Amino acid sequence: MNITLLCCRHFDVLFQGKVKMLGQTSSDEAYFKKISQALAEVGAYQPTLVVDKQRLDHNIDQLMSVIDRGFDYRIVAKSLPSLPMLKYIMARTGTHKLMSFHMPFLMHVVESIPKVDILLGKPMPIHSVRLFYQWRKQKNIRFNQSRQLQWLVDNLERLKQYESLAKELRLVFNINLEIDIGLHRGGFECDDVYRQALTLIDKSKSLRLSGLMGYEPHIGKIPVFLGGSEKAFRKVKTDYRAFKYSIVDIMGEEALTNLTFNTGGSSTYPLYTQPDIMNEIATASALVKPTDFDVPSLKHHKNAAFIATPVLKVIDKPEIPMAKKLSKLMHTFGVLPSKSCFIYGGNWLAKPCYPSGSKCSGIFGHSSNQEMYDLPKNCDIKMDDFMFFRPTQSEAVFLQFGEVAVYDDGRIIDWWSVFEPCKLETTSSIKTNNSPE
């Protein structure tokens, strides 16, 4: 442990920490104490992921005010990896469309929600696609891939791989082409290669064009000197329109009928006013609003997901190991906190939000076992009370706690399980389908 570095770190954050401590309001304190009481009543004295159902409903209402302008809504399943939660949102929004990003979770959803409509959110290796059809045959799943599944393809080589497998299985694959509309994270550009892909699909008996998918989270991050978000959004729409024009040129105007033109994300969905170019919006993180989505476009959304964990120990005047006199001096100058605590667990992708002004201690650093947090001077938290954090993201954090506690008006009313990957019983090869779909 570098004592000099530790001292400098504490001096550096001293005033910042004091400013943060002023942010606590009585309403915040009352809110988290109500959740604490609800958790205590059900004996949830371990790290727990909590979703506030009323705040979730509020965020769904905000989303639907945009979707109701004429868009279809597709839930991004990776961001809310819980079947009961997905089913609740599907019922609340009236959608049966999901976007999936992980093959084991795709299998889990298909097995559990037979009528679901799936669009892959990233291209899958051809070996994973083969594995899916092997699993479907083993499980005898009632899932019509010709009507309920769109594979995302990002380049011509992968498209040829998919065509080859579809021929082998005597199936017709629905192909949604990933297009680059400014993010530059791969996908087709609007060029000759894209036109070759459209031509291949048009002539193939094993492939069917089902739509386009253009992701645009860069819109809100473009600095003013490069044109800002408004210019970026205009370019996104212009680029997307050009990709659609190419479909018309090669396949004809009628080819646009019933295609999925997917776009959007949690930070950009409020920008869309009418389905003139894109007709489907995908989002999910905005419904629970982790800290990565504390952006101006979501100021009307509420924080709906929290990690609650018990306080194991409260330490008055914490000391640096082997530095009792130095610690006393640092307390005199207010560099070391007057109070700290050790929590049950820690080191999550999350930021402390209650007690306000709490921050990870520089004395011991991060710990997944008992993480230490510096507390405000006037904080009255004690052993067995709960400390609260806001996840920075939902997709990874939700999977760490087993079940999600559903909080509603002072009570834990339900527990929502999280995704469990499906497993294949064997690794045998797929046999040719004698009844083509």
Side-chain angles (χ1 to χ4, degrees):
M1 180 180 296
N2 190 323
I3 300 298
T4 303
L5 178 61
L6 180 62
C7 294
C8 292
R9 183 184 301 160
H10 274 286
F11 275 115
D12 185 53
V13 301
L14 172 62
F15 295 104
Q16 181 183 358
K18 285 186 176 180
V19 170
K20 287 183 178 179
M21 292 175 193
L22 297 176
Q24 187 74 55
T25 65
S26 58
S27 61
D28 290 337
E29 184 170 359
Y31 176 73
F32 287 112
K33 285 191 173 181
K34 282 185 177 180
I35 302 180
S36 297
Q37 184 177 354
L39 291 168
E41 287 175 355
V42 297
Y45 282 97
Q46 66 279 327
T48 303
L49 199 291
V50 180
V51 167
D52 185 322
K53 182 174 173 292
Q54 291 188 12
R55 292 189 175 194
L56 173 64
D57 286 342
H58 167 85
N59 294 339
I60 292 173
D61 290 342
Q62 301 304 309
L63 169 66
M64 293 309 295
S65 69
V66 174
I67 299 300
D68 287 343
R69 296 168 184 169
F71 295 96
D72 288 334
Y73 172 47
R74 191 174 295 274
I75 307 171
V76 179
K78 72 176 177 62
S79 300
L80 303 173
S82 162
L83 273 177
M85 189 174 191
L86 289 175
K87 289 179 179 178
Y88 175 78
I89 295 170
M90 290 170 76
R92 188 84 159 57
T93 59
T95 188
H96 62 288
K97 297 183 174 185
L98 299 182
M99 182 176 283
S100 183
F101 292 76
H102 185 39
M103 188 58 70
F105 293 163
L106 168 64
M107 296 173 178
H108 186 45
V109 168
V110 165
E111 188 174 30
S112 304
I113 313 176
K115 295 183 179 180
V116 69
D117 178 301
I118 295 285
L119 168 61
L120 272 293
K122 64 186 176 188
M124 286 289 125
I126 192 64
H127 303 289
S128 295
V129 179
R130 179 180 291 275
L131 192 69
F132 172 81
Y133 287 103
Q134 177 183 337
W135 168 83
R136 190 182 72 137
K137 186 174 181 66
Q138 288 177 351
K139 292 288 188 178
N140 193 27
I141 299 296
R142 292 182 176 274
F143 176 78
N144 191 328
Q145 70 92 36
S146 68
R147 293 199 305 266
Q148 297 175 249
L149 181 62
Q150 301 180 53
W151 296 106
L152 190 70
V153 173
D154 61 322
N155 61 58
L156 190 56
E157 180 183 0
R158 195 185 310 277
L159 185 63
K160 293 176 181 178
Q161 290 179 339
Y162 278 47
E163 183 186 35
S164 178
L165 179 59
K167 287 179 179 179
E168 177 187 334
L169 301 179
R170 298 183 64 194
L171 297 172
V172 177
F173 287 177
N174 294 314
I175 301 298
N176 191 298
L177 297 178
E178 180 180 8
I179 57 175
D180 184 357
I181 52 174
L183 181 60
H184 305 323
R185 192 180 67 176
F188 287 96
E189 296 182 10
C190 198
D191 56 14
D192 287 342
V193 176
Y194 172 63
R195 295 176 69 87
Q196 289 176 41
L198 291 175
T199 301
L200 189 158
I201 296 172
D202 190 39
K203 294 181 177 180
S204 176
K205 295 181 180 180
S206 301
L207 303 177
R208 180 191 301 118
L209 182 67
S210 61
L212 305 175
M213 193 278 278
Y215 187 41
E216 31 64 311
H218 62 285
I219 289 176
K221 299 179 174 64
I222 303 300
V224 174
F225 76 89
L226 290 178
S229 59
E230 290 186 7
K231 182 178 179 180
F233 185 46
R234 288 196 302 270
K235 189 174 189 309
V236 159
K237 292 191 292 183
T238 299
D239 290 349
Y240 209 120
R241 185 183 287 110
F243 281 100
K244 291 180 68 175
Y245 284 157
S246 292
I247 296 176
V248 174
D249 289 343
I250 292 173
M251 299 182 174
E253 185 78 32
E254 67 281 358
L256 298 180
T257 304
N258 297 324
L259 293 189
T260 297
F261 296 114
N262 180 277
T263 193
S266 284
S267 63
T268 58
Y269 90 83
L271 301 175
Y272 293 89
T273 57
Q274 56 184 347
D276 52 342
I277 304 172
M278 302 83 152
N279 59 17
E280 181 180 278
I281 289 176
T283 188
S285 293
L287 300 184
V288 292
K289 198 182 180 184
T291 62
D292 283 352
F293 295 89
D294 286 344
V295 293
S297 59
L298 294 181
K299 62 184 179 181
H300 54 303
H301 281 242
K302 295 182 178 181
N303 316 327
F306 305 94
I307 298 169
T309 193
V311 172
L312 300 180
K313 308 160 187 172
V314 177
I315 309 296
D316 288 322
K317 294 186 177 180
E319 296 181 356
I320 299 172
M322 301 294 293
K324 190 175 186 66
K325 290 184 178 179
L326 176 61
S327 297
K328 185 176 181 180
L329 179 64
M330 293 174 74
H331 277 297
T332 300
F333 287 98
V335 178
L336 280 178
S338 59
K339 186 181 295 186
S340 294
C341 70
F342 289 90
I343 62 170
Y344 188 151
N347 201 23
W348 302 294
L349 293 172
K351 298 179 180 179
C353 59
Y354 179 81
S356 180
S358 306
K359 58 183 182 293
C360 187
S361 176
I363 296 179
F364 291 106
H366 290 293
S367 170
S368 299
N369 175 36
Q370 298 182 62
E371 196 160 45
M372 184 179 183
Y373 279 84
D374 297 342
L375 301 171
K377 184 176 181 180
N378 60 348
C379 179
D380 62 355
I381 200 167
K382 56 186 182 299
M383 183 182 74
D384 293 340
D385 286 347
F386 288 90
M387 188 170 181
F388 288 84
F389 298 77
R390 285 183 61 203
T392 58
Q393 60 163 255
S394 55
E395 56 197 77
V397 175
F398 271 49
L399 295 170
Q400 295 181 266
F401 298 91
E403 289 186 315
V404 176
V406 184
Y407 172 77
D408 186 19
D409 194 24
R411 297 186 302 119
I412 303 299
I413 62 167
D414 203 353
W415 294 88
W416 286 343
S417 59
V418 296
F419 280 175
E420 297 176 3
C422 293
K423 295 182 179 179
L424 284 169
E425 297 175 2
T426 70
T427 56
S428 59
S429 61
I430 313 173
K431 296 181 180 179
T432 300
N433 179 20
N434 294 321
S435 301
E437 295 180 31

